[in-house]
Amino acid sequence: MKIPIINSKRQYETIAQKAEAAVLEVMRSGSYILGANNKEFEQEICKYLDVKHAVTLNSGTDALHLALRALDIGEGDEVISTAFTFVATSESIGIVGAKPVFVDIDPDTFNIDAAKIEAAITPKTKAIIPVHLYGQPCDMDVIIDIAKRHNLFVIEDACQAIGAEYKGKKVGTIGDIGCFSFYPTKNLGTMGDGGLLTTNSQYIKDRVIALRNHGGAIRYHHDEIGVNSRLDEIQAAILRVKLPYVDSWNKARREHAAYYNELFSKCDLIETPKELDNTYCVYHQYTVKIPNRDKVHQMLAERGIGAMIYYPIPLHLQKVHEKYNFKKGMLPITENNTKLVLSLPMFAEITKEEQEEVARTLIECVKEVSSTVSV
Ligand SMILES: *Cc1c(COP(=O)(O)O)cnc(C)c1O
């Protein structure tokens, strides 16, 4: 049995009729960019998230970089974040000319260790970007408290965490700005690229509305250098079809995570993911820590199990940031985690039989390697 890490086709089958009808309607309407579907979707997602403003964009990366632009963060400024994330987080800091300052992670949650943020603050620090990695909320009370005391903005990278909650509030609505991605494999994914920025500030909303459309709120009046980051109507229409399903898909992911936990409870070589109290984790990824990870990963691939390493190289050691001369060993927990983590097949439609096959194979491989290789 071949089991991919995600099976987008299976989800498509559950919404095919509605999605195809919605796309056909857009094609026949003659309105293709920033039309009625964008407006409706912005309102629907505001209601879903319980936030005042939502601005659709072309990607999650644009949400992050336009968030920084809207807050006038750029050359000479520093932004605190994590190195254990997708490159888009620190890339967006680079796009605006600011410097990323990386803080180590909490080994249990994979998220930025809020207790270590304060030591990284300098007079140049302007913002903190916590990333709710794998769908797991960061410890937002601590982060917001630090930000308030030091007069910093908080931009939540919620690209992997739509629907996740921290103390009853949806992530992406707790800081000054929330950033979401609708890349096809995300928990709410469209059939192309798409992104969203959320805020309770009218000023930020107005700035981003202008920035996404060449820096002008009024057509052919340009106040600053903007970008073209408009979401097309076909993607917005698909997102409107899918949004009502997100909660049930996330609930299914949580049930699958609980089942994996149960299946792995008999193998103490496999460390299963932990959750913070008072949070609702949406398991964008189900990520375990195992010894001899690379060898096991290769064996799983040979046996048809589509596991993935998110992320094999931490961002401070990526060539893209070499000008900052970040040193190996600087973020020991992050660096250690990149050697241990393995994300397993996880999607709402995965079956119990498939999970059992994944678990049986993983346990078999981990034990086999551990008995032949010294850990
Ligand atoms: C996917 C992702 C992004 C970028 O989103 P795109 O829509 O692909 O640009 C940013 N941050 C994180 C954590 C992501 O997972």
Side-chain angles (χ1 to χ4, degrees):
M1 182 165 27
K2 254 185 131 65
I3 306 171
I5 188 151
I6 180 167
N7 186 333
S8 304
K9 260 175 135 170
R10 214 179 276 175
Q11 181 178 84
Y12 181 66
E13 281 155 19
T14 68
I15 53 133
Q17 271 191 334
K18 286 181 189 169
E20 286 169 16
V23 169
L24 195 60
E25 201 180 304
V26 172
M27 290 197 288
R28 289 174 174 169
S29 76
S31 169
Y32 303 132
I33 298 274
L34 291 184
N37 281 291
N38 268 269
K39 282 210 180 67
E40 293 289 330
F41 178 65
E42 284 174 344
Q43 282 172 16
E44 287 157 8
I45 200 153
C46 276
K47 211 166 147 205
Y48 173 75
L49 294 169
D50 193 16
V51 69
K52 279 194 191 141
H53 309 290
V55 183
T56 54
L57 299 167
N58 209 273
S59 67
T61 307
D62 278 353
L64 286 159
H65 115 252
L66 295 181
L68 292 161
R69 285 286 314 274
L71 299 172
D72 291 312
I73 294 170
E75 212 70 51
D77 296 331
E78 292 179 357
V79 178
I80 291 174
S81 193
T82 166
F84 195 63
T85 173
F86 181 55
V87 68
T89 314
S90 64
E91 183 183 41
S92 64
I93 300 169
I95 289 172
V96 300
K99 179 188 175 186
V101 173
F102 296 116
V103 167
D104 215 350
I105 56 168
D106 173 336
D108 284 342
T109 63
F110 304 108
N111 284 331
I112 191 166
D113 187 342
K116 290 182 182 153
I117 290 176
E118 217 151 1
I121 295 173
T122 75
K124 292 178 176 171
T125 310
K126 290 287 170 358
I128 307 168
I129 306 185
V131 181
H132 306 293
L133 199 75
Y134 306 150
Q136 161 105 279
C138 293
D139 199 352
M140 290 307 293
D141 276 356
V142 181
I143 293 169
I144 296 287
D145 176 62
I146 294 167
K148 281 207 172 114
R149 281 190 284 108
H150 294 270
N151 210 6
L152 306 175
F153 293 110
V154 175
I155 300 167
E156 293 175 76
D157 183 339
C159 287
Q160 300 188 0
I162 191 158
E165 292 176 17
Y166 178 83
K167 297 191 177 170
K169 282 187 96 168
K170 292 266 195 319
V171 302
T173 69
I174 302 165
D176 298 281
I177 294 178
C179 300
F180 295 88
S181 165
F182 304 124
Y183 185 77
T185 60
K186 304 286 158 112
N187 288 30
L188 173 59
T190 188
M191 296 176 198
D193 275 309
L196 186 86
L197 182 148
T198 52
T199 181
N200 286 311
S201 153
Q202 179 76 41
Y203 167 79
I204 292 170
K205 177 209 169 184
D206 291 343
R207 266 303 282 286
V208 178
I209 292 254
L211 285 168
R212 79 170 166 187
N213 202 6
H214 304 292
I218 303 164
R219 187 176 290 188
Y220 305 126
H221 289 67
H222 306 284
D223 304 318
E224 59 181 324
I225 299 292
V227 294
N228 170 359
S229 185
R230 304 174 298 234
L231 185 69
D232 68 70
E233 281 287 286
I234 288 180
Q235 302 311 330
I238 293 165
L239 288 165
R240 291 186 67 203
V241 167
K242 291 178 94 175
L243 181 60
Y245 294 87
V246 169
D247 281 345
S248 64
W249 288 335
N250 281 341
K251 187 163 164 279
R253 284 172 181 269
R254 288 177 56 80
E255 284 161 11
H256 303 327
Y259 192 45
Y260 270 140
N261 289 345
E262 187 188 319
L263 293 167
F264 293 131
S265 63
K266 56 176 181 280
C267 180
D268 54 17
L269 289 168
I270 298 170
E271 192 180 325
T272 55
K274 297 174 191 67
E275 294 180 18
L276 279 183
D277 288 341
N278 298 313
T279 60
Y280 188 84
C281 173
V282 294
Y283 291 96
H284 174 60
Q285 300 298 340
Y286 179 87
T287 304
V288 295
K289 288 196 255 184
I290 51 167
N292 309 302
R293 193 267 323 271
D294 289 340
K295 178 76 189 140
V296 172
H297 183 211
Q298 184 199 330
M299 288 166 75
L300 286 176
E302 285 159 11
R303 293 170 201 202
I305 307 290
M308 293 283 275
I309 300 163
Y310 301 116
Y311 296 88
I313 305 168
L315 298 184
H316 66 296
L317 301 179
Q318 296 276 358
K319 187 162 185 283
V320 62
H321 295 311
E322 72 185 348
K323 70 172 172 185
Y324 298 117
N325 213 9
F326 295 128
K327 292 280 186 291
K328 205 169 179 166
M330 186 182 107
L331 302 171
I333 300 167
T334 297
E335 291 168 33
N336 189 42
N337 266 272
T338 59
K339 298 190 185 90
L340 302 174
V341 291
L342 192 66
S343 298
L344 304 179
M346 169 57 84
F347 44 96
E349 302 78 15
I350 195 169
T351 65
K352 274 204 149 64
E353 293 68 36
E354 287 170 323
Q355 286 195 271
E356 285 156 12
E357 171 80 5
V358 171
R360 195 185 51 72
T361 314
L362 179 63
I363 292 170
E364 207 176 88
C365 294
V366 168
K367 283 189 176 161
E368 202 177 304
V369 184
S370 293
S371 65
T372 55
V373 183
S374 61
V375 181

